[in-house]
């Protein structure tokens, strides 16, 4: 990789020497829903995933060289202003939702309160009030082609996310290190057979459709800017991928998440307004 964007340790021994994308992870329950419509949709997803793998413009590496995406360097330049806005959000860290508070399906991999989030964009749907709280972060994100999801991902001390794979390979994931405590060997993410260490102000781009796990075994909080963007694909996969992701917002997986986030957002900003209007706080 160029410019030592992440530290990559020698590959761990795996059963297969070639990258493999599977439709599940051992020990992790699938996202089962009773609806016939949902089952039909998930069948289409499985077919499209095979198409995406075949027609990937940049191949299918688990971890990408940042030079593959020239705009990544511009995101890194913005990290001081993004970090400043994050610091303001973390003043209310205890009130931020856990990931499973927003997306209940995440309970298959996380049930404690140590993975918190602050969404700006989810599956193409904006959180207007959160964006208003982080205008410079939102401005910087506009330089990412095919932006679909953006949030602050907060791993509190002791958090370990078990091995799992993402729900769909039509996007790639970007992490920008914002708060990365020491010691480095206690904080990492494994993607397929590579163990990578975040660095503050540096980007890591990977394909979360490969099995991956992450952990924070330090005694301090780790935060990254977490982004999903559309995977570069050739025709016809690029068109089908676009169509599928625009239809996805109508599925129960995403509708529930959007509704849950709206409810949290309403409470969060109502409490902030009440605090501002409390006698003795004005002026």
């Amino acid at each position: 990789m160029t410019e030592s964007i992440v530290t990559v340790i020698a590959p761990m021994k795996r059963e297969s020497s070639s990258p493999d994308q599977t439709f599940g992870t051992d020990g992790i329950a699938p996202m089962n829903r009773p609806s016939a419509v949902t089952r039909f949709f998930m069948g289409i997803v499985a077919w499209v995933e095979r198409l995406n793998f075949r027609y990937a413009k940049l191949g299918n590496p688990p971890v990408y060289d940042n030079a593959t995406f020239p705009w990544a360097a511009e995101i890194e330049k913005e990290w001081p202003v993004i970090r400043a806005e994050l610091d303001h959000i973390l003043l209310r860290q205890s009130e931020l939702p856990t990931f499973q508070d927003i997306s209940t399906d995440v309970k298959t991999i996380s049930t404690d309160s140590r993975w918190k989030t602050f969404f700006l964009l989810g599956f193409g749907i904006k959180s207007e009030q959160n964006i208003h709280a982080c205008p410079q972060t939102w401005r910087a994100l506009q330089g990412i082609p095919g932006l679909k999801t953006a949030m602050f991902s907060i791993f509190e001390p002791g958090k370990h996310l078990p091995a799992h794979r993402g729900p769909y390979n039509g996007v790639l994931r970007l992490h920008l290190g914002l708060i990365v405590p020491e010691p480095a060997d206690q904080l990492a993410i494994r993607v397929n057979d590579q163990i990578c260490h975040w660095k503050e102000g540096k980007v890591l781009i990977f394909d979360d459709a490969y099995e991956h796990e992450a952990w924070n075994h330090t005694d301090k909080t780790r935060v990254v800017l977490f982004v999903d963007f559309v995977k570069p694909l050739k025709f016809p996969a690029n068109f089908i991928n676009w169509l599928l992701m625009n239809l996805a917002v109508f599925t129960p997986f995403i509708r529930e998440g959007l509704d849950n986030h709206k409810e949290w957002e309403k409470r969060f900003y109502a409490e902030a307004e009440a605090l501002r209007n409390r006698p003795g706080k004005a002026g």
Side-chain angles (χ1 to χ4, degrees):
M1 288 191 175
T2 58
E3 299 182 3
S4 300
I5 293 157
V6 292
T7 303
V8 181
I9 297 177
M12 297 158 48
K13 288 185 178 180
R14 315 272 298 174
E15 293 181 2
S16 171
S17 60
S18 60
D20 185 30
Q21 288 186 355
T22 62
F23 295 104
T25 300
D26 290 343
I28 300 296
M31 295 187 294
N32 292 322
R33 298 296 182 105
S35 166
V37 173
T38 300
R39 290 198 302 271
F40 175 74
F41 183 83
M42 295 308 291
I44 293 175
V45 168
W47 174 76
V48 176
E49 283 204 305
R50 290 189 288 272
L51 199 68
N52 291 345
F53 196 84
R54 178 181 175 187
Y55 286 93
K57 275 187 178 180
L58 305 173
N60 295 284
V63 179
Y64 285 79
D65 186 328
N66 286 4
T68 306
F69 302 97
W71 47 262
E74 296 303 314
I75 299 299
E76 290 180 341
K77 290 177 183 176
E78 298 284 359
W79 96 271
V81 295
I82 297 173
R83 170 64 188 269
E85 292 185 336
L86 167 68
D87 288 343
H88 181 72
I89 297 303
L90 290 181
L91 294 175
R92 298 179 67 187
Q93 181 173 336
S94 64
E95 300 170 63
L96 300 180
T98 66
F99 208 126
Q100 67 268 21
D101 288 336
I102 304 301
S103 178
T104 57
D105 295 291
V106 173
K107 289 179 180 178
T108 59
I109 58 172
S110 184
T111 57
D112 59 34
S113 62
R114 294 175 179 171
W115 186 15
K116 293 183 179 292
T117 64
F118 188 83
F119 272 90
L120 302 176
L121 183 74
F123 301 97
I125 307 298
K126 296 178 183 178
S127 172
E128 296 289 355
Q129 293 190 87
N130 285 0
I131 288 171
H132 181 72
C134 301
Q136 296 304 314
T137 301
W138 183 246
R139 175 190 54 77
L141 288 168
Q142 303 317 297
I144 300 178
L147 179 68
K148 299 303 290 185
T149 293
M151 66 176 183
F152 294 127
S153 176
I154 303 158
F155 266 26
E156 295 184 341
K159 181 61 181 174
H160 190 133
L161 203 60
H164 63 289
R165 64 147 287 175
Y168 180 56
N169 71 357
V171 294
L172 297 178
R173 181 153 298 163
L174 175 149
H175 284 178
L176 171 65
L178 296 174
I179 300 178
V180 184
E182 296 287 346
D185 62 354
Q186 297 294 304
L187 183 70
I189 180 170
R190 175 181 66 82
V191 185
N192 197 47
D193 61 357
Q194 292 179 295
I195 298 179
C196 307
H197 296 276
W198 298 283
K199 291 186 177 181
E200 291 184 1
K202 295 297 182 180
V203 157
L204 166 67
I205 300 174
F206 63 99
D207 187 342
D208 86 318
Y210 288 99
E211 183 182 87
H212 59 286
E213 63 179 315
W215 55 91
N216 176 12
H217 295 160
T218 77
D219 59 359
K220 295 182 175 64
T221 296
R222 180 238 65 178
V223 186
V224 300
L225 180 65
F226 172 120
V227 169
D228 283 345
F229 62 95
V230 176
K231 184 176 184 176
L233 300 166
K234 302 172 188 175
F235 185 83
N238 57 354
F239 172 73
I240 297 172
N241 188 40
W242 173 86
L243 185 63
L244 186 66
M245 286 196 287
N246 280 276
L247 291 174
V249 295
F250 300 105
T251 65
F253 300 114
I254 296 176
R255 295 310 311 174
E256 288 176 12
L258 295 174
D259 290 343
N260 290 341
H261 189 272
K262 286 179 182 177
E263 286 301 313
W264 169 82
E265 191 179 56
K266 187 185 302 182
R267 293 193 304 271
F268 184 78
Y269 288 101
E271 290 167 5
E273 185 65 20
L275 184 62
R276 281 194 295 270
N277 294 330
R278 194 172 65 188
K281 297 293 290 187

